[in-house]
Amino acid sequence: MTLLAEHHGVVRFGGLPLPGATVTASQGDKKVSTITDPQGAYRFPDLADGSWTVEVGMQLFTPERREVAVPASAEWDLQLLSTEEIAKAATTVVPAAPAPAVPQPAITRAKPGPAPTNTQTAFQRTELNRSPAASEPAPPSETAASQDSSELRQRAADGFLVNGSINNAAASPFSQLPAFGNNRRGLRSLYNGNLGLIVNNAAFDARSYSLTGQDTPKPAYSRLQGLVSFGGPIRIPRLLKRTAGNFSVNYQWTRNNNASTQTGLMPTVDQRNGILADRVIAPALISPQARALLALYPLPNFSGGNRYNYQVPIVGGLHQDDLQARAGRAIGRKDQVNGTFGGQSIRTDTTSLFGFLDTGHTSGITTAVNWRHFFNQRFFTNLSYQYSRQTTRTTPYFGNRRNVSAEAGVAGNNQDSLNWGPPSLTFASGISALTDAQASFNRNQTSGTTFDMFYNRSRHNLTSGVGFRRQQFNVLSQQDPRGTFTFTGISSGSDFANFLLGAPDTSSIAFGNADKYLRATNGEAWVSDDWRIKPSLTLNIGLRWEYWGPVSERYGRLVNLSLAPGFVAATPMVSGSPLQPDRNNLAPRLAFSWRPLAASSMVIRGGYGIYYDTSVYQVIALQMAQQAPLSKSLRVDNSPSKPLTLANGFAAGGSTTPTTFAVDPDFRLGYSQNWQLSLQRDLPRALQMTA
């Protein structure tokens, strides 16, 4: 009994799919052929088990031939003929044998026959329309060279006739996309480039929607996006005579000025003078700190009620540049190497409701190098190295420009010029909070390596691998250097009255230990099996192990709390790594795809997996780095015995909590269990249902 199996493969040129290539498999006197699809793939569904000779060929390419053990898959990478070989093939003249004399046939009138159908091949159409004179020998005046030239042109044209198409593949899936310069003389260049430009202007857009119904003017803004790309084979004159691989370079730029409409609730003129709805505060009782900070609030520009009375158009800028480059080549028949590089630069201008203009600048690079080695058609491995670095800088509006806190008489907050500006004000009644960005300069870096392998055996596709990464988070910033005042109105019934009197309900501040050098080590390992049990059922089983080490500080500057029983006391503990690592993070994976009815389009899919939250360690480390005794970190509540004011709100008092953040040293990562089940079926009229 002969067992039949499927053999499939992919044909590429320079790492890219090669459609239209002819693939022939032969075993003894058996021979079958097919051509590759637009993705360069081919398939023989029913070859007998055993060794077959497979040959892949295409005009202008060097043919490849090898022995393949069915049902193994195969990958092919064809190489172009050299320029000399192509030119030699185009100019070679083969002497023509003298044509035998053919008697002149009698000319008879043919009966009209049926018109050729659309399913007939190009050869059949030619035979149907050929006149009797077409079989006559060429006149003696035609030379052998002209015959050979005509034959060469016909063979070149036939190379583009795919599956009997008679229009030079214009309607076949392998026809080339139309482009400027397709109908050019001589050989086409192997290099390709693209240009793109998108222009948008405020003149073409409607005004932003107004939540308040106010007629806010539309500001002038514009958007400009561009693209340049170029790619082709890698050739270095006098060094690399043949193509050494392929490369591509892409560059995009964005120059946008985006507009939006923002609304807020600002103090009215009466409120600024102490005339409130339920009381009147004498001007002499209004705090000088409150008057100075009120000057930063704009006046209302319409009567909107208790929710909004101020609306303005805001314009923000975004300038972005992106560069991506890729290069790769095949080394022999069993190795492939490729690399990628990406660079990005982002500049932003952000304007707040108060007119404060904050600027930001982000730049970064990402690189990767990959090596793939084929042991055979069923087994290959990948080894890759990745490196990335990103720098982010934020400059607030008042930084290095104006010390608002000192001018207003607010003491106790950070006085470094980078952190100049007003303290944050928060109101429970809905008055817009006074805020501005915090100065920061962060540099993050990640380097890692990954090794994985793929093995095919019968109906199993096995994948496994390991990975390792080393991360750096170099942070130069403060958590809350200017401090925050909160007004709830609990003591007097009016939050804004408390503000005018200079009596906040709570205050908080955190600054010091500005430079933090955080480090983390991560590892992972996985194995999975894509098991095609039968044509209607596929099962995917896998298991991952993830190790995400706690973030540590290079110079041992993290503070955790040692809590007494009953939380009656807390003692700061300074350490470089206060948390113990969690090495028990096993994450199973299970998924299936099932077609229960062979004659139906219904497919049932399901899956289950465990996923760990690995993003919490960095947040925890930043909180621990901003605590006493390394920094000034406290929260103060107003009390009759220790009154809190805008002038001395950041000084420790009787109701002060100096350190507030603690984590269990045996902290374990949280995780989620995810289930998924779906049913999909095709419906009439090209509809599809998914439940």
Side-chain angles (χ1 to χ4, degrees), residues 491-546:
S491 59
S492 64
S494 173
D495 58 349
F496 195 74
N498 282 10
F499 169 67
L500 293 178
L501 296 173
D505 294 284
T506 62
S507 68
S508 61
I509 195 169
F511 69 91
N513 192 26
D515 56 329
K516 295 164 277 288
Y517 300 90
L518 307 179
R519 303 290 185 266
T521 301
N522 308 322
E524 56 189 353
W526 67 90
V527 60
S528 66
D529 181 13
D530 183 14
W531 182 16
R532 304 180 184 274
I533 301 176
K534 54 184 180 179
S536 61
L537 178 62
T538 299
L539 189 64
N540 195 292
I541 306 173
L543 181 65
R544 289 182 61 86
W545 173 76
E546 299 179 349

Side-chain angles (χ1 to χ4, degrees), residues 518 551-553 556-560 573-576 578 621 624-625 630:
L518 307 179
V551 175
S552 61
E553 210 279 330
R557 296 178 298 179
L558 298 179
V559 180
N560 201 7
M573 305 293 293
V574 181
S575 172
M624 289 182 172
L630 300 179

